[in-house]
Amino acid sequence: MDELEMIRRRKMLELMKRAGMIEGNKEPKVVIEVITSPGCPYCPIAWAMAQELERKYDGVIARELSVATPEGRRKAMEHNIMGTPTILINNRVEFIGLPNFAEFERKVRELLSDNRKP
């Protein structure tokens, strides 16, 4: 599925939720933000890992923020990020560099099972 198709599907789900056609989740329990930079050989791998976790678990949202964008630069400055990829989970730096997928997944599962809000 290409990126445009994923965007279309997400938008359609959002519209269906607003129309009351389907029941939507209130808020995601885990928000993964992957800070990337153009030309980084490891960033696409980290982003793919985050997308896999978003597909695998309900309550997980993944976003990619490039330091080449104003939002990405702001987030990097806010968290004093000096290297990419850096992975924030619920607005907290959890991994600097490419993480081991099992550790990444374990952290997400731990937060999903936690009864507290993000």
Side-chain angles (χ1 to χ4, degrees), residues 63-79:
R63 321 176 38 205
E64 179 183 17
L65 294 168
S66 173
V67 294
T69 66
E71 184 182 8
R73 279 192 299 276
R74 182 192 58 74
K75 187 66 96 165
M77 289 185 347
E78 178 182 320
H79 292 278

Side-chain angles (χ1 to χ4, degrees), residues 8-25:
R8 284 184 183 136
R9 286 182 182 202
R10 284 186 183 161
K11 188 66 176 173
M12 184 58 74
L13 282 173
E14 179 183 316
L15 291 171
M16 290 171 73
K17 287 176 188 173
R18 284 187 196 166
M21 295 170 72
I22 58 173
E23 190 176 321
N25 292 347

Side-chain angles (χ1 to χ4, degrees), residues 29-49:
K29 182 132 175 119
V30 176
V31 177
I32 301 169
E33 294 173 297
V34 182
I35 309 301
T36 62
S37 62
C40 168
Y42 302 106
C43 291
I45 300 167
W47 174 231
M49 293 168 125

